[in-house]
């Protein structure tokens, strides 16, 4: 089992990664971050993407959808922003956030790797 720091380090090795964070969407706080910098403020991204997650959860409740959200993809001109809601025991209310450079990333492989990181994560 990987702790938060190890999981984020592994996420940072994903091809095209700009930055990653583990976020508590009940508070909007990042529990850990790696990368980012001038190109991307991960603390601001964590808070902003918390609103995205909350809005999607509310919409699914209003629609009566009894499904789990695996991930949410936001596609920008030069970046992918991938949000993976965690489902393992003890991770309720958390998501992994990964920003990728669109021209260097393989989106399918990034999703696969985030799923693997989630499976190994112990919070």
């Amino acid at each position: 089992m990987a702790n938060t720091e190890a999981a984020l380090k592994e996420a940072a090795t994903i091809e095209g990664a700009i930055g990653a964070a583990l976020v508590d969407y009940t508070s909007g706080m990042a529990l850990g971050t790696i990368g980012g910098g001038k190109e991307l403020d991960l603390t601001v991204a964590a808070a902003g993407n918390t609103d995205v997650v909350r809005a999607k959860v509310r919409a699914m409740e209003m629609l009566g959808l009894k499904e789990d959200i695996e991930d949410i993809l936001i596609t920008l001109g030069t970046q992918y922003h991938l949000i993976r809601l965690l489902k393992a025991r003890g991770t309720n209310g958390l998501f992994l956030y990964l920003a990728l450079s669109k021209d260097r990333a393989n989106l399918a492989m990034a999703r696969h790797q985030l799923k693997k990181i989630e499976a190994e994560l112990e919070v």
Side-chain angles (χ1 to χ4, degrees):
M1 293 287 181
N3 65 15
T4 299
E5 184 179 347
L8 290 173
K9 284 181 180 176
E10 189 172 347
T13 67
I14 295 173
E15 187 68 32
I18 297 168
L22 178 64
V23 183
D24 176 348
Y25 69 81
T26 58
S27 69
M29 301 295 294
L31 304 179
T33 64
I34 192 165
K38 287 188 291 183
E39 189 175 0
L40 179 66
D41 184 332
L42 288 168
T43 304
V44 172
N49 284 303
T50 293
D51 292 336
V52 171
V53 171
R54 288 177 185 161
K56 187 59 187 173
V57 168
R58 267 193 321 273
M60 289 183 60
E61 287 171 357
M62 291 181 342
L63 292 168
L65 297 175
K66 304 292 184 214
E67 302 260 354
D68 289 330
I69 299 170
E70 286 186 26
D71 52 41
I72 298 169
L73 171 64
I74 300 167
T75 305
L76 305 177
T78 61
Q79 298 176 0
Y80 294 122
H81 290 221
L82 191 55
I83 300 166
R84 179 156 187 94
L85 278 71
L86 304 184
K87 295 170 193 62
R89 189 172 58 90
T91 62
N92 192 30
L94 302 180
F95 66 87
L96 279 168
Y97 168 71
L98 177 65
L100 299 159
S101 173
K102 204 173 178 180
D103 62 347
R104 295 186 356 243
N106 177 326
L107 185 57
M109 185 57 74
R111 288 183 70 223
H112 175 73
Q113 289 172 292
L114 267 188
K115 185 176 183 177
K116 180 178 172 276
I117 291 167
E118 174 193 7
E120 296 171 356
L121 180 63
E122 185 175 284
V123 180

